[in-house]
Amino acid sequence: MRRHSVTRIVGTTLVGLLAFGVGGAGYAYWDIQGNITGLNIDDLVGDDPTIHQANSAAPTPTYADPLAGSAMNILLMGSDDRSGENAEIGGEDEGMRSDTTLLMHISADRTRVEAVSIPRDLLTAIPSCELPSGSQTKAQSEAMFNSAFSLGAQQSETGSDEAKAYGAACTIRTVQAMTGITIDEFALVDFAGFQKMVDAIGGVTMTFSEDLKDDYTGLDITAGEHTLNGVQALQLARARHIAGTDGSDIGRIDRQQELLSAMVAEILETNLLTNGPDLYRFISAATESLTTSQGLSQITSLVGLGMSLKGVSLDSVHFSTVPFVYAGPRVRATAEADVVWQLLASDQPLPVEVEETPVGAGTPSEGASTEG
């Protein structure tokens, strides 16, 4: 399996948590708290389809790690919601899907973080999921992973809290069935939120060895060094149809890794975490389009978790991709994936990579998915 240290990627969510830990407690608590939409989906992951809106008020802030002393598993989802402001960015479209999904495991002693990317084209079983009408979706023995979100959200208005809750719940049920790991919390960020985070840090500087053009997303970047603004960064993150590439989701994951790595470098090199006004702008942007589980919806919890992660060394944060083989235009997890899930379930570190190419490396066969 591929495994990279934080010098390659750490992910904006983890950076956000560290930002909260360093300075979040002192910056406009009530203002930032109002940005976050918190949803309680415990009943949807279980049996009773009931949504509870989190109470965004906390009379006396007490900053504490919500699961201190225990390992924590957070499912991070990037939504391709095409409603409202997101429609202006990605084009209007019905339904919602989770284009980018990572399982972030934080060790019980808060010294290690493992982030495992789950390809959207991964073929997996999807269990029956609750719908707002009280009915349930039909369980599927093998379907594309990112369809779980759209299945759960199918009876809800695109972009609504209801759609996000049911879509996230179905995705979590799918991940838990696939991995045997209990998901403790989730976070969902959309197009607009990602753009704002990039703009909040003044753009992200990257160097490209060749021209990159994708007519589907509008990406048009020449070879050389560029400072990408939020729009350009999102175009790069979404691009699947760049000339000369195979158009697969795996190729896009690699580009997303490079982009997030560059974002982390930008944040660290500009001393964002110690600059009060800039830190506030970043945290505000990071939370403005954020929908989370109830446990992460309180600034007090985010600050507490961030503070507990302050001792994490850069060499102890890693990113990997589910071990896979190509299955025509899709991919299928290998037996090595089961080892990954077992290690995370027992709070053990994942093995150091032995090669850069994924298990079963190659290229997808002709007819690969052209979905955005």
Side-chain angles (χ1 to χ4, degrees):
M1 64 179 293
R2 290 188 295 180
R3 187 171 183 265
H4 304 285
S5 71
V6 72
T7 55
R8 178 78 182 273
I9 176 176
V10 64
T12 51
T13 298
L14 181 58
V15 172
L17 289 174
L18 293 174
F20 280 118
V22 173
Y27 290 104
Y29 172 88
W30 299 113
D31 181 32
I32 295 174
Q33 176 66 77
N35 287 347
I36 304 174
T37 297
L39 299 173
N40 185 335
I41 64 169
D42 290 348
D43 292 336
L44 295 181
V45 175
D47 299 320
D48 184 8
T50 304
I51 297 176
H52 303 285
Q53 185 70 31
N55 181 0
S56 62
T60 303
T62 301
Y63 305 104
D65 183 337
L67 284 178
S70 299
M72 190 173 192
N73 296 300
I74 305 175
L75 195 66
L76 311 177
M77 293 170 279
S79 166
D80 74 344
D81 169 19
R82 306 293 181 88
S83 63
E85 186 177 3
N86 293 297
E88 299 175 10
I89 298 171
E92 190 168 357
D93 192 11
E94 290 295 323
M96 295 177 66
R97 290 155 293 276
S98 52
D99 264 5
T100 301
T101 305
L102 296 96
L103 173 55
M104 186 167 77
H105 175 86
I106 303 174
S107 65
D109 61 8
R110 300 299 188 258
T111 64
R112 178 171 39 84
V113 177
E114 303 277 0
V116 181
S117 178
I118 304 174
R120 53 163 278 163
D121 291 341
L122 182 72
L123 294 174
T124 188
I126 297 180
S128 176
C129 298
E130 299 285 352
L131 293 172
S133 64
S135 60
Q136 295 184 329
T137 63
K138 183 178 179 180
Q140 300 183 49
S141 60
E142 188 174 68
M144 199 163 79
F145 172 75
N146 84 323
S147 65
F149 198 102
S150 58
L151 285 171
Q154 64 181 283
Q155 291 185 353
S156 305
E157 180 182 354
T158 299
S160 66
D161 286 347
E162 182 181 77
K164 293 174 182 178
Y166 280 87
C170 194
T171 302
I172 289 171
R173 284 177 58 83
T174 300
V175 171
Q176 291 186 156
M178 178 174 66
T179 66
I181 294 172
T182 298
I183 301 301
D184 301 300
E185 307 289 351
F186 78 88
L188 180 69
V189 64
D190 56 23
F191 291 164
F194 182 79
Q195 280 193 186
K196 290 172 182 175
M197 280 190 281
V198 173
D199 286 334
I201 61 174
V204 56
T205 301
M206 299 183 69
T207 301
F208 304 96
S209 60
E210 56 187 6
D211 296 348
L212 299 178
K213 185 175 177 62
D214 185 333
D215 292 335
Y216 286 80
T217 66
L219 178 69
D220 190 359
I221 300 174
T222 58
E225 183 177 282
H226 297 271
T227 297
L228 307 183
N229 60 26
V231 171
Q232 294 170 314
L234 180 61
Q235 290 171 339
L236 178 63
R238 294 179 56 219
R240 295 186 65 184
H241 308 283
I242 296 175
T245 68
D246 58 28
S248 71
D249 182 50
I250 302 304
R252 177 165 62 176
I253 286 175
D254 289 340
R255 288 187 292 275
Q256 289 171 346
Q257 292 174 10
E258 297 292 347
L259 173 61
L260 291 175
S261 175
M263 288 180 66
V264 171
E266 199 80 40
I267 289 170
L268 297 179
E269 289 172 5
T270 57
N271 297 317
L272 172 74
L273 303 184
T274 58
N275 185 311
D278 287 347
L279 176 63
Y280 170 76
R281 280 191 291 271
F282 175 76
I283 293 177
S284 182
T287 56
E288 189 171 343
S289 298
L290 188 66
T291 300
T292 74
S293 50
Q294 200 167 31
L296 291 181
S297 66
Q298 298 295 322
I299 294 296
T300 51
S301 296
L302 290 173
V303 172
L305 180 57
M307 292 176 68
S308 73
L309 290 169
K310 288 172 64 176
V312 172
S313 73
L314 297 183
D315 292 335
S316 299
V317 183
H318 303 93
F319 178 93
S320 58
T321 302
V322 175
F324 66 86
V325 292
Y326 284 105
R330 313 298 184 196
V331 297
R332 183 175 285 112
T334 66
E336 190 179 355
D338 292 333
V339 176
V340 171
W341 307 137
Q342 290 167 9
L343 288 171
L344 293 184
S346 59
D347 197 22
Q348 298 298 310
L350 298 184
V352 176
E353 67 174 356
V354 294
E355 57 184 357
E356 276 294 316
T357 51
V359 175
T363 58
S365 62
E366 293 183 3
S369 171
T370 57
E371 295 181 37

